[in-house]
Each structure stands twice: as C-alpha cells, then as structure tokens.
Amino acid sequence: MNIVAVTACPAGVAHTYMAKKGLEKAAKKLGHKIKVETQGSMGIENEIKVKDLEKADLVIFAVDTKVEKANRFDDKTIHEVPVAAAVKNATKVIEDATAKL
Amino acid sequence: MWKEAKKHLMTGVSYMIPIVVAGGILLSLGVIIGDDTSMGEQLVNYGVWTLGLMVPVIAGYISYSIADRPGIAVGLASGVFAAELGTGYIGGILVGFFAGWITNQLKKIPMHPNIAVIKPIMVIPVLGIGASAIFMWLISIPLAPAMTGLENWLNSLDGNNLLILGFIIGAMMAFDMGGPVNKIALAFCYATLAEGIYAPMAACWIGIMAAPLGLSLATLLFPKKFSKSEKGNAIPAALMGSLGITEGAIPYAVATPLKVIPVITIGSGIGGGLALMLGAESPIPAAIGIWGLPFVNGPFMLLIGLLVAVAIIAITVGFLRKESDVDDSEDAELSF
C-alpha cells in the first residue's frame, strides 16, 4: 500500500522527526511504501507533491499543530493521531489507518 | 472540541517560540553587559521590542490555525490590543480564539460574485478587527486587574511557596517529555516571562534537562539494567538534554514507563522547587539548554537544583529497574 504522512509538533525540533522515523520503520516492517513530510520549525521538508498524492491510498496525520496546506489531502482518507502516538507505537498507527479503508 | 482547541493553541506557541528565544537572549545579553552602557542599553531595547511581538504572534497564529490565512491579520491586530490593554499573554490567547472564530463567521457572509473580491481585503479585516477590538475591550475589564493581581501574587511568593511553584512546573515539564502537559507548563512560564517574572522559567529549565541527563547517567551507573540500544542512546539523549530537548528521555520511558515516568516527574519537581527556593531566576526561555546558564540570575543555584534532580533520577531509576527488564531481542523501535 502507498501511504503519505505528515508529522508536526509544537516545538518542531524533536517529536516531528522521531515520528517520521517511527512511521518509516513501521511501514517497512508491515510492507507498505511511505513518504513522510515533516512540518517542523524549519517549515515543510520532504514535501508531499501532487504525484505522490496520485499514488497514495491513505493519508496519516501525526500532528499536535495545524497541518499546513491541508487542502492537498481533501479527497483522501485521513487518519489523524497525536504526534506522540507515532513516536510510541507507529506500527499500531499504521494498522489502525489501514483498517479504516 | 478540547482537542481542536489544544491544537490551535499549540500552533500559536510553535510560531511564538523563536521570537521569545531571540528576544530573551538579546535582552539578557544587554543586562549582562550592563544597561548603563550604550551597547547594553541598545541590546535591552531591541530585546524588549522583539519580545513585544510575543502576544500579537500567539494571537495571530491561533487565529491562523482556526481560520487559515484571513485569520492572521485579524489575530495579529487583536494581539496588539491584548498587549496594550494590559491583559498580556492570557488575553492574547483568548482574543486569538475569538479572532479565528469571527473570521470564520465573516467568511460565510454571502456576497455577489462581482464584489466578492472585497471580502478578503475589506470585509474580513475591517469587521473582524473591529469585532475583536470590542471583544478585547470587554474582557479586559475583568482580565486586566486579574492579571495585575496574578503578577503581584507571583512576585510576592517566597520560601515554601516558591518551592511548591517550582515543584509543579518541574514535574509538569518532565511528566510527558515534551508533550501537551509540558507545553502547558511552558506556556505558563512564557506568560510570566512576558510580565517580567523570571522565577518560573528557572524551574522550567530543570524540568526540561533533568530527565534526559539523569537517564543517560543511569545507563553509565547501572549498565546491566539497560539494553544495548538504550545504552547507545545515552549520548544522544544527554546531548539533546543539554540542548533543552526533553524528548531524549522518551526511549527509556517507552521501555519501562512505570519505572521511569513517576521518577522523572518527582525528581524534576524536587530540582525545580529547590532551585527556586534558593533564588534562581531565568529571564530567558529554556530553549537553548545548559548553554544559556550564563544568562540566568543565580546560575549556581540553578545548577544545584539541576544536579540534585539528575542524581535523584539516575539513582532511583537504577534501583527500580531489574536486570530482567533488559530486552535486547526486541530492540526498541526508537533510536536516533
């Protein structure tokens, strides 16, 4: 399955990137492809582009703050969790998200 | 509802943090050089001007989080009202929510397509800022005296009261290692900082640094009680801790939450309380970790509080953990 995800936390220096790592590891373990965009204190990095979205089956938001340019994802199935959930147990986040489809 | 509100508040805080760090450091550099010198005086001025953006920015970006782009102008202006009317940070947060809400209502006004263009450049800013001005004026009637009262009360705290204040802040900062509880305590410390009350921020420093430092020290003191990946994580965690990032403690809390979270909460609380009781104060935000130590008032007192907290955490976690807690087979999913 092709997944795209956005991570963001208030300070934007640690949780954002830990959640990205967690999601990438968990996706690999479960055999999914994932691209994770971070919205930290440096702004948007590894941005999810239109061509990524065309392929994406599912969107995960692991965020404690507002998602920038959220309208990109309007017609997709979105699974939203606090950023801490993806840090602690990203596998469960992905499993819950795929169960939504 | 609460979840959404928290998200808006956190968005505002995240845009405000860099401003407070920059302003706080300029200000304290000026104080160190001495504000009777022209260089020092200038630095103090620039620091104060930068910090003046704090309340407008938190209001502006709460409003942005709620109402997107049109919310920024309404929120920023409302934040200036909040600051000018003496309601400070709390007023800024409240009016930020109002500004976002009113902007969303104004977006819904039906308009003929030919004149729809004036909606974002005329209708929303003018009516939005006007409505926020009235709202701000109304809430400032009870809020401004309340803020002055809070300020006087915080300034009058001494001895045991400071100990309790420091304990609560230190404990909240450590409790969820950078999560929402931590950010609520941080927001409170920013609020007092904006009013020129510097003690709470000193406890905040300790709450941020003690947990990652204490836990990495524990891996050195009790190597048999930690897994390979936890020991490998000790140096990154200590570095993150010294830079003011509590999140370095998370991998340890994930492995054995009940043997870590209560300890870091209480340990950081004791350290924070102790430092405040000894008279430590921090006029700059706790975002640059140990490197900000030269800029605080009573750096030695702060260091004592920090060391006590680190020692309590390292030793207690070391005793609570058993060698059977070590699980090298399932290496924790988290490492840096």
Coordinates of all heavy atoms in Angstrom, one line a residue, chain B residues 20 63 112 118 138 177 209:
Chain B
V20 N 10.5 34.4 21.2 CA 10.8 34.6 22.6 C 12.3 34.2 22.9 O 13.0 34.9 23.7 CB 10.0 33.6 23.5 CG1 10.1 34.0 24.9 CG2 8.5 33.8 23.1
S63 N -5.3 32.3 15.6 CA -6.3 32.7 14.7 C -6.1 32.1 13.3 O -7.0 31.6 12.6 CB -6.4 34.2 14.6 OG -7.3 34.6 13.6
H112 N -22.3 38.9 -3.7 CA -22.4 38.8 -5.2 C -21.0 38.6 -5.7 O -20.1 39.2 -5.3 CB -23.1 40.0 -5.7 CG -23.4 39.9 -7.2 ND1 -22.5 40.1 -8.2 CD2 -24.5 39.4 -7.8 CE1 -23.1 39.9 -9.3 NE2 -24.3 39.4 -9.1
I118 N -13.9 42.0 -2.5 CA -13.7 42.9 -1.4 C -13.8 42.2 -0.1 O -13.4 42.7 1.0 CB -14.6 44.1 -1.4 CG1 -16.0 43.7 -1.1 CG2 -14.5 45.0 -2.6 CD1 -16.9 44.8 -0.6
L138 N -14.1 44.4 26.2 CA -15.0 43.9 27.2 C -14.2 42.9 28.1 O -14.4 43.0 29.3 CB -16.1 43.1 26.5 CG -17.2 44.0 25.9 CD1 -18.2 43.1 25.1 CD2 -17.9 44.8 26.9
M177 N 7.5 14.5 28.8 CA 8.7 14.7 28.0 C 8.4 15.4 26.6 O 8.7 14.9 25.6 CB 9.3 13.3 27.7 CG 9.7 12.6 29.0 SD 9.9 10.8 28.7 CE 8.2 10.3 28.7
M209 N 15.7 19.6 31.3 CA 17.0 19.0 31.2 C 17.2 17.7 32.0 O 18.0 16.8 31.7 CB 18.1 20.0 31.4 CG 18.2 21.0 30.3 SD 19.7 22.0 30.5 CE 19.3 23.0 31.9

